[in-house]
mmCIF file of all heavy atoms in Angstrom:
data_model
loop_
_atom_site.group_PDB
_atom_site.id
_atom_site.type_symbol
_atom_site.label_atom_id
_atom_site.label_comp_id
_atom_site.label_asym_id
_atom_site.label_seq_id
_atom_site.Cartn_x
_atom_site.Cartn_y
_atom_site.Cartn_z
ATOM 1 N N ILE T 5 -149.925 28.838 139.609
ATOM 2 C CA ILE T 5 -148.978 28.673 138.410
ATOM 3 C C ILE T 5 -149.350 29.816 137.438
ATOM 4 O O ILE T 5 -150.532 30.001 137.055
ATOM 5 C CB ILE T 5 -149.300 27.289 137.715
ATOM 6 C CG1 ILE T 5 -149.023 26.077 138.662
ATOM 7 C CG2 ILE T 5 -148.525 27.144 136.472
ATOM 8 C CD1 ILE T 5 -149.488 24.864 138.006
ATOM 9 N N VAL T 18 -152.667 24.371 123.003
ATOM 10 C CA VAL T 18 -152.244 23.032 123.483
ATOM 11 C C VAL T 18 -151.950 23.111 124.976
ATOM 12 O O VAL T 18 -152.475 22.531 125.881
ATOM 13 C CB VAL T 18 -151.107 22.459 122.660
ATOM 14 C CG1 VAL T 18 -150.726 21.063 123.368
ATOM 15 C CG2 VAL T 18 -151.506 22.075 121.289
ATOM 16 N N GLY T 19 -150.943 24.178 125.199
ATOM 17 C CA GLY T 19 -150.595 24.314 126.692
ATOM 18 C C GLY T 19 -151.713 24.696 127.598
ATOM 19 O O GLY T 19 -151.692 24.232 128.719
ATOM 20 N N LEU T 22 -153.407 21.543 128.688
ATOM 21 C CA LEU T 22 -152.550 20.671 129.524
ATOM 22 C C LEU T 22 -152.229 21.202 130.923
ATOM 23 O O LEU T 22 -152.275 20.443 131.890
ATOM 24 C CB LEU T 22 -151.253 20.329 128.864
ATOM 25 C CG LEU T 22 -151.335 19.695 127.417
ATOM 26 C CD1 LEU T 22 -149.930 19.429 126.875
ATOM 27 C CD2 LEU T 22 -152.040 18.314 127.459
ATOM 28 N N ILE T 23 -152.031 22.475 130.932
ATOM 29 C CA ILE T 23 -151.689 23.041 132.241
ATOM 30 C C ILE T 23 -152.832 23.054 133.366
ATOM 31 O O ILE T 23 -152.609 22.863 134.490
ATOM 32 C CB ILE T 23 -151.075 24.497 132.174
ATOM 33 C CG1 ILE T 23 -150.442 25.035 133.453
ATOM 34 C CG2 ILE T 23 -152.279 25.546 131.703
ATOM 35 C CD1 ILE T 23 -149.337 24.185 133.883
ATOM 36 N N GLU T 25 -155.028 20.685 133.436
ATOM 37 C CA GLU T 25 -155.136 19.203 133.912
ATOM 38 C C GLU T 25 -153.965 19.008 135.048
ATOM 39 O O GLU T 25 -154.318 18.420 136.040
ATOM 40 C CB GLU T 25 -154.916 18.280 132.829
ATOM 41 C CG GLU T 25 -156.061 18.237 131.851
ATOM 42 C CD GLU T 25 -155.740 17.387 130.582
ATOM 43 O OE1 GLU T 25 -154.733 16.730 130.628
ATOM 44 O OE2 GLU T 25 -156.388 17.618 129.631
ATOM 45 N N ILE T 26 -152.863 19.518 134.708
ATOM 46 C CA ILE T 26 -151.718 19.450 135.661
ATOM 47 C C ILE T 26 -151.981 20.107 136.998
ATOM 48 O O ILE T 26 -151.849 19.567 138.111
ATOM 49 C CB ILE T 26 -150.381 19.950 135.013
ATOM 50 C CG1 ILE T 26 -149.942 18.980 133.928
ATOM 51 C CG2 ILE T 26 -149.305 20.057 136.086
ATOM 52 C CD1 ILE T 26 -148.868 19.506 133.087
ATOM 53 N N ALA T 27 -152.570 21.387 136.859
ATOM 54 C CA ALA T 27 -152.812 22.157 138.056
ATOM 55 C C ALA T 27 -153.859 21.403 139.004
ATOM 56 O O ALA T 27 -153.707 21.345 140.219
ATOM 57 C CB ALA T 27 -153.314 23.472 137.715
ATOM 58 N N ARG T 29 -154.414 18.165 139.047
ATOM 59 C CA ARG T 29 -153.729 17.137 139.750
ATOM 60 C C ARG T 29 -152.876 17.392 140.952
ATOM 61 O O ARG T 29 -152.749 16.632 141.885
ATOM 62 C CB ARG T 29 -152.862 16.250 138.759
ATOM 63 C CG ARG T 29 -153.624 15.443 137.732
ATOM 64 C CD ARG T 29 -152.679 14.431 137.066
ATOM 65 N NE ARG T 29 -151.712 14.972 136.214
ATOM 66 C CZ ARG T 29 -151.993 15.215 134.863
ATOM 67 N NH1 ARG T 29 -153.181 14.963 134.302
ATOM 68 N NH2 ARG T 29 -151.086 15.694 134.079
ATOM 69 N N HIS T 30 -152.433 18.678 141.092
ATOM 70 C CA HIS T 30 -151.498 19.073 142.148
ATOM 71 C C HIS T 30 -152.193 20.143 143.072
ATOM 72 O O HIS T 30 -151.415 20.848 143.778
ATOM 73 C CB HIS T 30 -150.252 19.512 141.633
ATOM 74 C CG HIS T 30 -149.539 18.397 140.855
ATOM 75 N ND1 HIS T 30 -148.693 17.463 141.500
ATOM 76 C CD2 HIS T 30 -149.510 17.940 139.566
ATOM 77 C CE1 HIS T 30 -148.285 16.496 140.647
ATOM 78 N NE2 HIS T 30 -148.775 16.818 139.408
ATOM 79 N N LEU T 70 -149.515 17.170 116.991
ATOM 80 C CA LEU T 70 -149.603 17.326 118.528
ATOM 81 C C LEU T 70 -150.988 17.204 119.005
ATOM 82 O O LEU T 70 -151.309 16.607 119.994
ATOM 83 C CB LEU T 70 -149.075 18.644 118.887
ATOM 84 C CG LEU T 70 -147.602 18.985 119.088
ATOM 85 C CD1 LEU T 70 -147.281 20.330 119.594
ATOM 86 C CD2 LEU T 70 -147.092 17.905 120.023
ATOM 87 N N PHE T 73 -152.115 13.737 119.006
ATOM 88 C CA PHE T 73 -151.384 13.061 120.065
ATOM 89 C C PHE T 73 -152.096 13.303 121.346
ATOM 90 O O PHE T 73 -152.236 12.372 122.203
ATOM 91 C CB PHE T 73 -149.912 13.609 120.218
ATOM 92 C CG PHE T 73 -149.007 12.806 121.097
ATOM 93 C CD1 PHE T 73 -148.449 11.574 120.726
ATOM 94 C CD2 PHE T 73 -148.828 13.340 122.406
ATOM 95 C CE1 PHE T 73 -147.640 11.006 121.644
ATOM 96 C CE2 PHE T 73 -147.947 12.762 123.267
ATOM 97 C CZ PHE T 73 -147.394 11.532 122.939
ATOM 98 N N TYR T 74 -152.625 14.489 121.650
ATOM 99 C CA TYR T 74 -153.278 14.869 122.888
ATOM 100 C C TYR T 74 -154.771 14.624 122.778
ATOM 101 O O TYR T 74 -155.394 15.022 123.826
ATOM 102 C CB TYR T 74 -152.821 16.193 123.386
ATOM 103 C CG TYR T 74 -151.344 16.299 123.862
ATOM 104 C CD1 TYR T 74 -150.395 17.010 123.140
ATOM 105 C CD2 TYR T 74 -150.957 15.683 124.999
ATOM 106 C CE1 TYR T 74 -149.139 17.043 123.527
ATOM 107 C CE2 TYR T 74 -149.711 15.671 125.428
ATOM 108 C CZ TYR T 74 -148.672 16.416 124.642
ATOM 109 O OH TYR T 74 -147.389 16.461 125.009
ATOM 110 N N PRO T 173 -146.133 29.496 124.865
ATOM 111 C CA PRO T 173 -146.531 29.561 126.244
ATOM 112 C C PRO T 173 -145.333 29.590 127.227
ATOM 113 O O PRO T 173 -144.341 28.958 126.889
ATOM 114 C CB PRO T 173 -147.349 28.261 126.397
ATOM 115 C CG PRO T 173 -146.804 27.388 125.395
ATOM 116 C CD PRO T 173 -146.431 28.272 124.197
ATOM 117 N N PHE T 175 -144.473 29.332 131.580
ATOM 118 C CA PHE T 175 -145.097 28.973 132.840
ATOM 119 C C PHE T 175 -144.005 29.402 133.886
ATOM 120 O O PHE T 175 -142.880 29.137 133.751
ATOM 121 C CB PHE T 175 -145.380 27.536 132.963
ATOM 122 C CG PHE T 175 -146.237 27.034 131.810
ATOM 123 C CD1 PHE T 175 -145.629 26.573 130.623
ATOM 124 C CD2 PHE T 175 -147.588 26.996 131.750
ATOM 125 C CE1 PHE T 175 -146.337 26.068 129.552
ATOM 126 C CE2 PHE T 175 -148.342 26.638 130.731
ATOM 127 C CZ PHE T 175 -147.717 26.079 129.505
ATOM 128 N N VAL T 177 -143.548 28.578 138.028
ATOM 129 C CA VAL T 177 -144.017 27.882 139.245
ATOM 130 C C VAL T 177 -143.024 28.167 140.403
ATOM 131 O O VAL T 177 -141.758 27.823 140.290
ATOM 132 C CB VAL T 177 -143.960 26.262 138.995
ATOM 133 C CG1 VAL T 177 -144.246 25.567 140.306
ATOM 134 C CG2 VAL T 177 -144.977 25.904 137.994
ATOM 135 N N GLU T 180 -139.736 29.434 139.289
ATOM 136 C CA GLU T 180 -138.995 28.579 138.252
ATOM 137 C C GLU T 180 -139.782 28.792 136.872
ATOM 138 O O GLU T 180 -140.899 28.450 136.641
ATOM 139 C CB GLU T 180 -139.045 27.138 138.737
ATOM 140 C CG GLU T 180 -138.193 26.267 137.848
ATOM 141 C CD GLU T 180 -136.656 26.457 138.087
ATOM 142 O OE1 GLU T 180 -136.241 27.089 138.969
ATOM 143 O OE2 GLU T 180 -135.926 25.824 137.259
ATOM 144 N N PRO T 181 -138.900 29.207 135.945
ATOM 145 C CA PRO T 181 -139.574 29.450 134.522
ATOM 146 C C PRO T 181 -139.556 28.193 133.632
ATOM 147 O O PRO T 181 -138.524 27.318 133.731
ATOM 148 C CB PRO T 181 -138.597 30.483 133.965
ATOM 149 C CG PRO T 181 -137.239 30.167 134.552
ATOM 150 C CD PRO T 181 -137.524 29.596 135.954
ATOM 151 N N PHE T 182 -140.676 27.914 132.962
ATOM 152 C CA PHE T 182 -140.595 26.851 132.038
ATOM 153 C C PHE T 182 -141.212 27.359 130.640
ATOM 154 O O PHE T 182 -142.312 27.938 130.658
ATOM 155 C CB PHE T 182 -141.681 25.785 132.490
ATOM 156 C CG PHE T 182 -141.182 25.086 133.769
ATOM 157 C CD1 PHE T 182 -141.476 25.586 135.079
ATOM 158 C CD2 PHE T 182 -140.407 23.942 133.798
ATOM 159 C CE1 PHE T 182 -141.056 25.086 136.250
ATOM 160 C CE2 PHE T 182 -140.023 23.310 134.937
ATOM 161 C CZ PHE T 182 -140.287 23.885 136.167
ATOM 162 N N TRP T 183 -140.518 27.159 129.675
ATOM 163 C CA TRP T 183 -140.930 27.702 128.302
ATOM 164 C C TRP T 183 -141.299 26.579 127.442
ATOM 165 O O TRP T 183 -140.601 25.676 127.169
ATOM 166 C CB TRP T 183 -139.682 28.493 127.682
ATOM 167 C CG TRP T 183 -140.070 28.908 126.324
ATOM 168 C CD1 TRP T 183 -141.108 29.281 125.712
ATOM 169 C CD2 TRP T 183 -139.039 29.012 125.207
ATOM 170 N NE1 TRP T 183 -140.891 29.608 124.430
ATOM 171 C CE2 TRP T 183 -139.623 29.411 124.001
ATOM 172 C CE3 TRP T 183 -137.547 28.748 125.133
ATOM 173 C CZ2 TRP T 183 -138.930 29.576 122.797
ATOM 174 C CZ3 TRP T 183 -136.924 28.844 124.036
ATOM 175 C CH2 TRP T 183 -137.607 29.325 122.785
ATOM 176 N N GLY T 184 -142.600 26.690 126.896
ATOM 177 C CA GLY T 184 -143.037 25.806 125.905
ATOM 178 C C GLY T 184 -143.944 24.763 126.593
ATOM 179 O O GLY T 184 -143.584 24.204 127.635
ATOM 180 N N TYR T 185 -145.015 24.341 125.879
ATOM 181 C CA TYR T 185 -145.837 23.244 126.313
ATOM 182 C C TYR T 185 -145.000 21.926 126.550
ATOM 183 O O TYR T 185 -145.366 21.224 127.465
ATOM 184 C CB TYR T 185 -147.074 22.947 125.260
ATOM 185 C CG TYR T 185 -146.485 21.971 124.346
ATOM 186 C CD1 TYR T 185 -146.739 20.578 124.661
ATOM 187 C CD2 TYR T 185 -145.779 22.211 123.222
ATOM 188 C CE1 TYR T 185 -146.194 19.499 123.746
ATOM 189 C CE2 TYR T 185 -145.192 21.196 122.414
ATOM 190 C CZ TYR T 185 -145.463 19.813 122.725
ATOM 191 O OH TYR T 185 -144.924 18.896 121.874
ATOM 192 N N SER T 186 -143.874 21.776 125.802
ATOM 193 C CA SER T 186 -143.203 20.643 125.852
ATOM 194 C C SER T 186 -142.449 20.417 127.211
ATOM 195 O O SER T 186 -142.035 19.286 127.555
ATOM 196 C CB SER T 186 -142.165 20.530 124.742
ATOM 197 O OG SER T 186 -141.164 21.456 124.963
ATOM 198 N N ARG T 187 -142.314 21.515 127.969
ATOM 199 C CA ARG T 187 -141.668 21.338 129.225
ATOM 200 C C ARG T 187 -142.658 20.984 130.445
ATOM 201 O O ARG T 187 -142.263 20.913 131.600
ATOM 202 C CB ARG T 187 -140.891 22.604 129.662
ATOM 203 C CG ARG T 187 -139.714 22.967 128.887
ATOM 204 C CD ARG T 187 -138.927 21.817 128.384
ATOM 205 N NE ARG T 187 -137.659 22.228 127.750
ATOM 206 C CZ ARG T 187 -137.457 22.329 126.360
ATOM 207 N NH1 ARG T 187 -138.428 21.952 125.560
ATOM 208 N NH2 ARG T 187 -136.249 22.601 125.934
ATOM 209 N N LEU T 188 -143.834 20.689 130.041
ATOM 210 C CA LEU T 188 -144.903 20.518 131.059
ATOM 211 C C LEU T 188 -144.619 19.149 131.922
ATOM 212 O O LEU T 188 -144.880 19.093 133.116
ATOM 213 C CB LEU T 188 -146.344 20.455 130.521
ATOM 214 C CG LEU T 188 -146.694 21.907 130.102
ATOM 215 C CD1 LEU T 188 -148.216 21.880 129.474
ATOM 216 C CD2 LEU T 188 -146.755 22.866 131.297
ATOM 217 N N PRO T 189 -144.044 18.136 131.218
ATOM 218 C CA PRO T 189 -143.758 16.950 132.085
ATOM 219 C C PRO T 189 -142.667 17.266 133.145
ATOM 220 O O PRO T 189 -142.719 16.811 134.285
ATOM 221 C CB PRO T 189 -143.153 15.952 131.083
ATOM 222 C CG PRO T 189 -143.694 16.344 129.765
ATOM 223 C CD PRO T 189 -143.807 17.888 129.810
ATOM 224 N N ILE T 190 -141.697 18.249 132.803
ATOM 225 C CA ILE T 190 -140.752 18.625 133.743
ATOM 226 C C ILE T 190 -141.333 19.473 134.807
ATOM 227 O O ILE T 190 -141.087 19.264 136.077
ATOM 228 C CB ILE T 190 -139.550 19.465 133.059
ATOM 229 C CG1 ILE T 190 -139.291 18.872 131.565
ATOM 230 C CG2 ILE T 190 -138.266 19.567 133.872
ATOM 231 C CD1 ILE T 190 -138.558 17.667 131.535
ATOM 232 N N LEU T 191 -142.184 20.357 134.373
ATOM 233 C CA LEU T 191 -142.952 21.239 135.425
ATOM 234 C C LEU T 191 -143.687 20.308 136.326
ATOM 235 O O LEU T 191 -143.690 20.528 137.620
ATOM 236 C CB LEU T 191 -143.885 22.180 134.639
ATOM 237 C CG LEU T 191 -144.727 23.145 135.410
ATOM 238 C CD1 LEU T 191 -145.046 24.347 134.508
ATOM 239 C CD2 LEU T 191 -146.000 22.588 135.891
ATOM 240 N N GLU T 192 -144.430 19.348 135.885
ATOM 241 C CA GLU T 192 -145.152 18.407 136.698
ATOM 242 C C GLU T 192 -144.243 17.677 137.695
ATOM 243 O O GLU T 192 -144.686 17.498 138.916
ATOM 244 C CB GLU T 192 -146.042 17.424 135.907
ATOM 245 C CG GLU T 192 -146.931 16.642 136.812
ATOM 246 C CD GLU T 192 -148.160 16.116 136.118
ATOM 247 O OE1 GLU T 192 -148.243 15.998 134.847
ATOM 248 O OE2 GLU T 192 -149.151 15.689 136.862
ATOM 249 N N LYS T 193 -143.143 17.253 137.289
ATOM 250 C CA LYS T 193 -142.144 16.600 138.209
ATOM 251 C C LYS T 193 -141.780 17.575 139.321
ATOM 252 O O LYS T 193 -141.645 17.202 140.441
ATOM 253 C CB LYS T 193 -140.980 16.020 137.517
ATOM 254 C CG LYS T 193 -140.009 15.217 138.327
ATOM 255 C CD LYS T 193 -138.902 14.588 137.538
ATOM 256 C CE LYS T 193 -137.662 14.232 138.411
ATOM 257 N NZ LYS T 193 -138.052 13.259 139.482
ATOM 258 N N TRP T 194 -141.580 18.861 138.865
ATOM 259 C CA TRP T 194 -141.229 19.905 139.784
ATOM 260 C C TRP T 194 -142.277 20.150 140.918
ATOM 261 O O TRP T 194 -141.994 20.274 142.064
ATOM 262 C CB TRP T 194 -140.989 21.184 139.053
ATOM 263 C CG TRP T 194 -140.289 22.188 139.823
ATOM 264 C CD1 TRP T 194 -140.739 23.202 140.594
ATOM 265 C CD2 TRP T 194 -138.851 22.582 139.690
ATOM 266 N NE1 TRP T 194 -139.764 24.097 140.978
ATOM 267 C CE2 TRP T 194 -138.563 23.675 140.516
ATOM 268 C CE3 TRP T 194 -137.737 21.929 139.030
ATOM 269 C CZ2 TRP T 194 -137.328 24.217 140.501
ATOM 270 C CZ3 TRP T 194 -136.489 22.441 139.119
ATOM 271 C CH2 TRP T 194 -136.278 23.562 139.936
ATOM 272 N N LEU T 195 -143.631 20.016 140.482
ATOM 273 C CA LEU T 195 -144.647 20.225 141.371
ATOM 274 C C LEU T 195 -144.744 19.007 142.359
ATOM 275 O O LEU T 195 -145.029 19.163 143.548
ATOM 276 C CB LEU T 195 -146.026 20.289 140.634
ATOM 277 C CG LEU T 195 -146.322 21.641 139.909
ATOM 278 C CD1 LEU T 195 -147.548 21.464 139.121
ATOM 279 C CD2 LEU T 195 -146.496 22.762 140.944
ATOM 280 N N ALA T 196 -144.489 17.767 141.715
ATOM 281 C CA ALA T 196 -144.636 16.656 142.642
ATOM 282 C C ALA T 196 -143.499 16.372 143.580
ATOM 283 O O ALA T 196 -143.844 16.015 144.708
ATOM 284 C CB ALA T 196 -144.662 15.395 141.644
ATOM 285 N N ASP T 197 -142.279 16.617 143.124
ATOM 286 C CA ASP T 197 -141.083 16.306 143.904
ATOM 287 C C ASP T 197 -140.395 17.445 144.517
ATOM 288 O O ASP T 197 -139.432 17.309 145.297
ATOM 289 C CB ASP T 197 -140.038 15.482 143.093
ATOM 290 C CG ASP T 197 -140.697 14.269 142.543
ATOM 291 O OD1 ASP T 197 -141.758 13.905 142.862
ATOM 292 O OD2 ASP T 197 -139.992 13.762 141.573
ATOM 293 N N GLY T 198 -140.789 18.579 144.134
ATOM 294 C CA GLY T 198 -139.959 19.981 144.582
ATOM 295 C C GLY T 198 -138.778 20.100 143.566
ATOM 296 O O GLY T 198 -138.638 19.276 142.704
ATOM 297 N N PHE T 200 -135.416 20.387 141.526
ATOM 298 C CA PHE T 200 -134.357 19.355 141.292
ATOM 299 C C PHE T 200 -133.296 19.914 140.446
ATOM 300 O O PHE T 200 -133.479 20.961 139.985
ATOM 301 C CB PHE T 200 -134.913 18.013 140.746
ATOM 302 C CG PHE T 200 -135.735 18.144 139.462
ATOM 303 C CD1 PHE T 200 -135.004 18.178 138.213
ATOM 304 C CD2 PHE T 200 -137.054 18.387 139.526
ATOM 305 C CE1 PHE T 200 -135.757 18.227 137.092
ATOM 306 C CE2 PHE T 200 -137.819 18.503 138.310
ATOM 307 C CZ PHE T 200 -137.081 18.423 136.993
ATOM 308 N N LEU U 22 -131.546 9.919 123.597
ATOM 309 C CA LEU U 22 -132.954 9.437 123.505
ATOM 310 C C LEU U 22 -133.208 8.709 122.237
ATOM 311 O O LEU U 22 -133.971 7.672 122.124
ATOM 312 C CB LEU U 22 -133.852 10.545 123.704
ATOM 313 C CG LEU U 22 -133.810 11.347 125.047
ATOM 314 C CD1 LEU U 22 -134.861 12.425 125.125
ATOM 315 C CD2 LEU U 22 -133.932 10.383 126.218
ATOM 316 N N TYR U 62 -131.866 31.186 130.380
ATOM 317 C CA TYR U 62 -132.958 30.227 130.523
ATOM 318 C C TYR U 62 -132.419 28.861 130.077
ATOM 319 O O TYR U 62 -132.644 27.812 130.571
ATOM 320 C CB TYR U 62 -134.083 30.562 129.661
ATOM 321 C CG TYR U 62 -135.229 29.459 129.655
ATOM 322 C CD1 TYR U 62 -135.980 29.302 130.771
ATOM 323 C CD2 TYR U 62 -135.369 28.575 128.597
ATOM 324 C CE1 TYR U 62 -136.907 28.323 130.884
ATOM 325 C CE2 TYR U 62 -136.313 27.506 128.665
ATOM 326 C CZ TYR U 62 -136.978 27.410 129.761
ATOM 327 O OH TYR U 62 -137.964 26.448 129.806
ATOM 328 N N ASP U 66 -132.587 25.313 131.810
ATOM 329 C CA ASP U 66 -133.545 24.444 131.149
ATOM 330 C C ASP U 66 -132.851 23.119 131.009
ATOM 331 O O ASP U 66 -133.356 21.966 131.335
ATOM 332 C CB ASP U 66 -134.130 24.940 129.841
ATOM 333 C CG ASP U 66 -134.964 24.071 129.037
ATOM 334 O OD1 ASP U 66 -135.910 23.419 129.750
ATOM 335 O OD2 ASP U 66 -134.899 23.955 127.835
ATOM 336 N N ARG U 69 -132.047 21.093 134.159
ATOM 337 C CA ARG U 69 -133.191 20.355 134.622
ATOM 338 C C ARG U 69 -133.448 19.175 133.740
ATOM 339 O O ARG U 69 -133.849 18.092 134.323
ATOM 340 C CB ARG U 69 -134.396 21.280 134.581
ATOM 341 C CG ARG U 69 -134.607 22.206 135.688
ATOM 342 C CD ARG U 69 -136.038 22.935 135.527
ATOM 343 N NE ARG U 69 -136.361 23.332 134.330
ATOM 344 C CZ ARG U 69 -136.959 24.487 133.846
ATOM 345 N NH1 ARG U 69 -137.055 25.476 134.733
ATOM 346 N NH2 ARG U 69 -137.270 24.724 132.596
ATOM 347 N N LEU U 70 -133.385 19.251 132.410
ATOM 348 C CA LEU U 70 -133.773 18.140 131.421
ATOM 349 C C LEU U 70 -132.846 16.990 131.796
ATOM 350 O O LEU U 70 -133.236 15.829 131.718
ATOM 351 C CB LEU U 70 -133.532 18.592 130.033
ATOM 352 C CG LEU U 70 -134.670 19.416 129.307
ATOM 353 C CD1 LEU U 70 -134.178 19.721 127.921
ATOM 354 C CD2 LEU U 70 -135.855 18.649 129.309
ATOM 355 N N ALA U 71 -131.458 17.335 131.868
ATOM 356 C CA ALA U 71 -130.488 16.244 132.104
ATOM 357 C C ALA U 71 -130.887 15.491 133.327
ATOM 358 O O ALA U 71 -130.843 14.252 133.368
ATOM 359 C CB ALA U 71 -129.152 16.838 132.209
ATOM 360 N N LYS U 72 -131.238 16.176 134.403
ATOM 361 C CA LYS U 72 -131.721 15.444 135.655
ATOM 362 C C LYS U 72 -132.996 14.657 135.387
ATOM 363 O O LYS U 72 -133.027 13.538 135.888
ATOM 364 C CB LYS U 72 -131.904 16.530 136.705
ATOM 365 C CG LYS U 72 -130.692 17.035 137.406
ATOM 366 C CD LYS U 72 -130.900 17.959 138.511
ATOM 367 C CE LYS U 72 -129.605 18.690 139.008
ATOM 368 N NZ LYS U 72 -129.814 19.870 139.667
ATOM 369 N N PHE U 73 -133.868 15.171 134.677
ATOM 370 C CA PHE U 73 -135.077 14.445 134.299
ATOM 371 C C PHE U 73 -134.891 13.161 133.628
ATOM 372 O O PHE U 73 -135.539 12.184 133.915
ATOM 373 C CB PHE U 73 -135.976 15.452 133.465
ATOM 374 C CG PHE U 73 -137.356 14.959 133.184
ATOM 375 C CD1 PHE U 73 -138.369 15.019 134.172
ATOM 376 C CD2 PHE U 73 -137.690 14.367 131.943
ATOM 377 C CE1 PHE U 73 -139.645 14.508 133.878
ATOM 378 C CE2 PHE U 73 -138.986 13.848 131.751
ATOM 379 C CZ PHE U 73 -140.017 13.916 132.626
ATOM 380 N N TYR U 74 -133.868 13.210 132.727
ATOM 381 C CA TYR U 74 -133.593 12.000 131.949
ATOM 382 C C TYR U 74 -132.430 11.208 132.510
ATOM 383 O O TYR U 74 -132.037 10.249 131.870
ATOM 384 C CB TYR U 74 -133.277 12.322 130.463
ATOM 385 C CG TYR U 74 -134.425 12.832 129.664
ATOM 386 C CD1 TYR U 74 -134.638 14.219 129.335
ATOM 387 C CD2 TYR U 74 -135.550 11.926 129.440
ATOM 388 C CE1 TYR U 74 -135.732 14.596 128.565
ATOM 389 C CE2 TYR U 74 -136.680 12.356 128.755
ATOM 390 C CZ TYR U 74 -136.800 13.724 128.281
ATOM 391 O OH TYR U 74 -137.870 14.091 127.679
ATOM 392 N N TYR U 185 -135.766 17.631 120.556
ATOM 393 C CA TYR U 185 -135.842 16.429 121.330
ATOM 394 C C TYR U 185 -137.207 16.217 121.922
ATOM 395 O O TYR U 185 -137.655 15.117 122.182
ATOM 396 C CB TYR U 185 -134.785 16.552 122.474
ATOM 397 C CG TYR U 185 -135.481 17.153 123.687
ATOM 398 C CD1 TYR U 185 -136.104 16.410 124.727
ATOM 399 C CD2 TYR U 185 -135.530 18.513 123.910
ATOM 400 C CE1 TYR U 185 -136.730 16.853 125.735
ATOM 401 C CE2 TYR U 185 -136.196 19.021 124.891
ATOM 402 C CZ TYR U 185 -136.818 18.239 125.811
ATOM 403 O OH TYR U 185 -137.509 18.757 126.905
ATOM 404 N N SER U 186 -138.003 17.336 122.097
ATOM 405 C CA SER U 186 -139.217 17.302 122.790
ATOM 406 C C SER U 186 -140.325 16.574 121.896
ATOM 407 O O SER U 186 -141.330 16.190 122.403
ATOM 408 C CB SER U 186 -139.731 18.722 123.225
ATOM 409 O OG SER U 186 -140.088 19.445 121.968
ATOM 410 N N ARG U 187 -140.062 16.419 120.625
ATOM 411 C CA ARG U 187 -141.056 15.763 119.754
ATOM 412 C C ARG U 187 -140.800 14.305 119.748
ATOM 413 O O ARG U 187 -141.488 13.559 118.943
ATOM 414 C CB ARG U 187 -141.082 16.342 118.454
ATOM 415 C CG ARG U 187 -141.480 17.892 118.191
ATOM 416 C CD ARG U 187 -142.675 18.189 119.065
ATOM 417 N NE ARG U 187 -143.168 19.470 118.804
ATOM 418 C CZ ARG U 187 -142.908 20.610 119.486
ATOM 419 N NH1 ARG U 187 -142.030 20.627 120.502
ATOM 420 N NH2 ARG U 187 -143.556 21.798 119.219
ATOM 421 N N LEU U 188 -139.808 13.798 120.419
ATOM 422 C CA LEU U 188 -139.532 12.290 120.409
ATOM 423 C C LEU U 188 -140.665 11.411 120.738
ATOM 424 O O LEU U 188 -140.768 10.368 120.196
ATOM 425 C CB LEU U 188 -138.200 12.012 121.097
ATOM 426 C CG LEU U 188 -136.958 12.584 120.385
ATOM 427 C CD1 LEU U 188 -135.701 12.392 121.184
ATOM 428 C CD2 LEU U 188 -136.793 12.042 118.966
ATOM 429 N N PRO U 189 -141.502 11.864 121.808
ATOM 430 C CA PRO U 189 -142.584 10.988 122.082
ATOM 431 C C PRO U 189 -143.605 10.881 120.926
ATOM 432 O O PRO U 189 -144.192 9.804 120.591
ATOM 433 C CB PRO U 189 -143.357 11.668 123.278
ATOM 434 C CG PRO U 189 -142.214 12.484 123.942
ATOM 435 C CD PRO U 189 -141.331 12.968 122.796
ATOM 436 N N ILE U 190 -143.720 11.998 120.136
ATOM 437 C CA ILE U 190 -144.637 11.979 118.942
ATOM 438 C C ILE U 190 -143.987 11.180 117.897
ATOM 439 O O ILE U 190 -144.667 10.318 117.177
ATOM 440 C CB ILE U 190 -144.851 13.443 118.460
ATOM 441 C CG1 ILE U 190 -144.851 14.556 119.499
ATOM 442 C CG2 ILE U 190 -145.927 13.505 117.406
ATOM 443 C CD1 ILE U 190 -146.188 14.538 120.320
#
Side-chain angles (χ1 to χ4, degrees):
Chain T
I5 297 170
V18 172
L22 302 179
I23 192 62
E25 292 170 14
I26 290 172
R29 284 198 286 274
H30 297 272
L70 278 183
F73 186 80
Y74 289 111
F175 309 89
V177 172
E180 186 74 9
F182 297 88
W183 172 35
Y185 91 87
S186 69
R187 296 321 190 259
L188 288 177
I190 323 286
L191 181 155
E192 185 157 17
K193 186 173 158 60
W194 198 272
L195 284 173
D197 303 346
F200 59 87
Chain U
L22 301 179
Y62 178 77
D66 184 44
R69 278 186 324 220
L70 278 181
K72 284 182 187 157
F73 186 80
Y74 289 111
Y185 90 89
S186 69
R187 295 321 190 260
L188 289 176
I190 323 288

